[in-house]
Amino acid sequence: MHPDFFSTSDASQQKKDDLAERAEWLRGELNRHAHAYYVLDNPTIPDAEYDKLFLELSTLEQQHPELCTPDSPTQRVGGAPLPQFEPVRHSIPMLSLGNGFDDEDIVSFDRRVREGLQAPGEVEYATELKFDGLAINLRYENGVLVQAATRGDGTTGENVTANIRTVRAIPLRLHMDNPPAVLDVRGEVLMFKADFARLNARQRAAGQKEFANPRNAAAGSLRQLDSRITAQRSLRFYAYGIGLLEGADMPDTHSGLLDWFAAIGLPVCQERAVVSGASGLLAFFREVGIKRDALPYEIDGVVYKVNRRAEQQRLGFVSRAPRFALAHKFPAQEAMTLVQDIGVQVGRTGAITPVARLAPVSVGGVTVTNATLHNEDEVRRKDVRIGDTVIVRRAGDVIPEVVSVVPEARPENAREFSMPTNCPVCGSPIVRPQDEAVARCAGGWIKCAAQRKGGLLHFVSRRAMDIEGLGEQLIDQLVDKQIITTAADLYRLGLTSLVELDRMAEKSAKNVLNALEKSKSTTLARFIYALGIRHVGESTAKELARHFGKIDAFLAATEEQLLEVADIGPVVAKSILQFFSDPLNVELVEQLRAAGVHWPEHEPVARQDAKQAEAAAGQPGSITGKTFVLTGTLPNLTRDEASAMIEQAGGKVTGSVSKKTSYVVAGEEAGSKLAKAEELGIPVLDEDGLLHLLKGMA
């Protein structure tokens, strides 16, 4: 007998034991994380990490079927319902979808569908968004909403009918004459980004815990035992599927089903399409990816479904998901990594921002090594320490941020962050004004190069002085080589000084000089905004320019006079006075004027308004004093052009919709502002309507 026979057998058994142990560990981890996510609304790891663990267990069970147990997460959907809610058994199970992560996965999905259907040509698919919210089943009987239940474990959910009735987007009665006896509508309850931000602002003001993301906020709001709390939250709903249907014919296609939903008053997302083949699926995915960050809600991917219902039935289901559908997920926007250190960054206003220095990690397809911690209080609130494992989030071009700490992974030697007492750039003292969350460098533009660079970049930006060609790299060189100290120095630049800079050819240098010359002719509003006065944004700068009319009147304004300006309160007034109490800032204004920067001036608004009021007498159509909000993309006018036309006619343009808004001007892809205008009954104009209104003022 071969001497290694027993050792080989032992090794084989050891491998089986190791695989069984790994499967048991994966099941435990997945169940623990699923409970935290679905039941406690307190996720402990990012979705991408959960997907990795799930895929590993699924692959392990496929390769070794004997390891699959009845209670494996691969054999179920979601988590158990909360005991506080009455359980509801779904007439037809609410299943999850299989996931695809790259082009190859989608091509394979399409191939499996074609093989299953024995289709000679391309298959027709319905494509839609994968919302990051909470799945719900709405039951309508004879057209009346009688019950709403969460997905729960896919078979049994939680009765949240009382809370769902507070969601205004959901009709209590279907808009149809002959409704079906029973209709189960599947869809997603979610919270828009703007509503989420407002909710967290209220949570902060009340000293309560903030929600980690819109999905958690929606889930937490819907699962309140007191429906009055739910009613105070701005929840939305989109229908995307169907369960039981009795007393009506099922539409032949999924796209037809969604059209039917829309016709009977159920909210349906318009970001959907019918496409053919794998190429159509991938084109839709990429198109959505481009506009993802501009959407008013969070999504984590798109969903593909074979469009024809007869073909769906032929394909059928596997244990936990339909064969005819797939979720194509975007690259993870959250990931776990290690905090190697915590430093600080100096902003253009001197704000000192704590920044976590991270072990490199891919988030949303980008390698992230730094993430903002916002301010010292935020570091303490989240209890982020050097050495911690943290969850990092990145969305579009937004600076990555630390969402939360993974407490169970904290090492014993983790160190707390300590705010430095001096600016790391210029050595000036770091001070934290009373009643403010942000600490600041006291050095100012002259002493602190970081503030100088930030201030100059703001000064040359498109919405300020709009000086093309002066980007971050060029500003860095000009400051580092001590060629410029203030914005006025920009207008003293010569061809020689620019050509000597790195990557600056003579033609590029001439273009910069031409842009500087062109920028000298500006508006008072742009000039005020370009100065970078704290708390003075574009809208406030316009109000100041409109009110005072002349720079000298603005410079000489008292606190009482500043408080007479629309939308300016004590904080902004104090900030303006503090800015001009520094002789260097007053001198900067004079140097810029001496360099040739100029703008049209007019009488102060008190006299101007009197003249306008007199001129508007007998003109009931005048828009003087009317407030406009612009949203979406207009076919011919840019946002700036439309704003300028409105302001020249005496109107005012603001960024948010309220009861005081007179008109909303909406273009293509108008979002939540249009929805709010319709909710408040505010008149909505398209571009032609705006031009017609302004023409009537001429």
Side-chain angles (χ1 to χ4, degrees), residues 457-640:
L457 279 170
H458 173 77
F459 183 86
V460 304
S461 65
R462 186 175 65 86
R463 307 190 79 85
M465 297 301 289
D466 192 18
I467 306 173
E468 291 185 16
L470 276 171
E472 185 173 357
Q473 291 184 347
L474 191 55
I475 292 289
D476 283 350
Q477 289 188 72
L478 291 169
V479 172
D480 291 342
K481 296 177 182 293
Q482 299 183 345
I483 296 173
I484 60 173
T485 302
T486 72
D489 293 336
L490 291 170
Y491 293 98
R492 302 187 186 102
L493 289 172
L495 186 62
T496 303
S497 58
L498 286 173
V499 169
E500 290 176 352
L501 299 175
D502 295 340
R503 299 179 181 177
M504 180 58 66
E506 183 174 338
K507 183 177 179 180
S508 299
K510 287 181 178 178
N511 288 338
V512 169
L513 293 176
N514 289 335
L516 281 163
E517 188 63 31
K518 180 181 176 182
S519 73
K520 290 180 180 179
S521 179
T522 185
T523 66
L524 180 56
R526 279 181 174 269
F527 182 77
I528 292 173
Y529 175 62
L531 292 175
I533 305 170
R534 195 169 164 227
H535 299 308
V536 176
E538 280 185 89
S539 179
T540 302
K542 287 179 181 178
E543 285 298 329
L544 289 165
R546 191 180 77 86
H547 186 90
F548 291 105
K550 300 180 179 181
I551 189 67
D552 291 329
F554 174 48
L555 293 174
T558 63
E559 183 174 5
E560 291 76 14
Q561 290 171 326
L562 289 169
L563 291 173
E564 292 174 359
V565 181
D567 297 334
I568 288 188
V571 172
V572 180
K574 182 179 178 182
S575 178
I576 294 170
L577 291 172
Q578 186 174 14
F579 183 85
F580 288 118
S581 68
D582 187 337
L584 292 175
N585 290 329
V586 177
E587 183 182 346
L588 173 63
V589 173
E590 295 306 321
Q591 288 179 349
L592 288 167
R593 293 170 81 181
V597 178
H598 62 280
W599 49 84
E601 295 195 330
H602 58 74
E603 291 294 323
V605 76
R607 298 178 213 171
Q608 192 182 51
D609 281 353
K611 293 178 182 178
Q612 286 180 345
E614 184 179 349
Q619 297 181 17
S622 172
I623 66 167
T624 299
K626 301 285 186 182
T627 302
F628 291 71
V629 172
L630 304 174
T631 181
T633 303
L634 298 176
N636 300 303
L637 296 174
T638 66
R639 191 78 63 92
D640 286 345

Side-chain angles (χ1 to χ4, degrees), residues 344 352 376 417-432 439-443:
V344 296
I352 304 294
E376 187 176 12
F417 166 73
S418 178
M419 177 66 80
T421 56
N422 295 94
C423 173
V425 176
C426 69
S428 298
I430 290 177
V431 296
R432 181 171 169 179
R440 297 181 186 277
C441 164

Side-chain angles (χ1 to χ4, degrees), residues 16-17 24 35 105 170 178 183 214 231 286 289 296 302 335 536 602:
K16 289 182 179 179
D17 291 343
E24 183 178 358
H35 179 78
D105 291 339
I170 297 175
N178 298 304
L183 171 61
R286 292 180 181 120
V302 299
V536 176
H602 58 74

Side-chain angles (χ1 to χ4, degrees), residues 172-234:
L172 300 180
R173 181 185 293 273
L174 298 176
H175 304 170
M176 57 191 311
D177 295 331
N178 298 304
V182 177
L183 171 61
D184 281 347
V185 178
R186 270 78 193 271
E188 198 95 354
V189 170
L190 62 155
M191 184 174 287
F192 279 19
K193 297 173 186 175
D195 296 325
F196 171 70
R198 284 190 284 268
L199 172 60
N200 266 351
R202 293 199 300 270
Q203 294 289 105
R204 283 194 299 272
Q208 298 176 352
K209 181 182 177 182
E210 294 181 45
F211 291 96
N213 51 53
R215 190 267 166 198
N216 274 26
S221 301
L222 190 61
R223 299 163 84 180
Q224 292 287 333
L225 294 177
D226 185 349
S227 60
R228 290 173 296 183
I229 296 176
T230 308
Q232 295 170 5
R233 311 276 175 84
S234 297

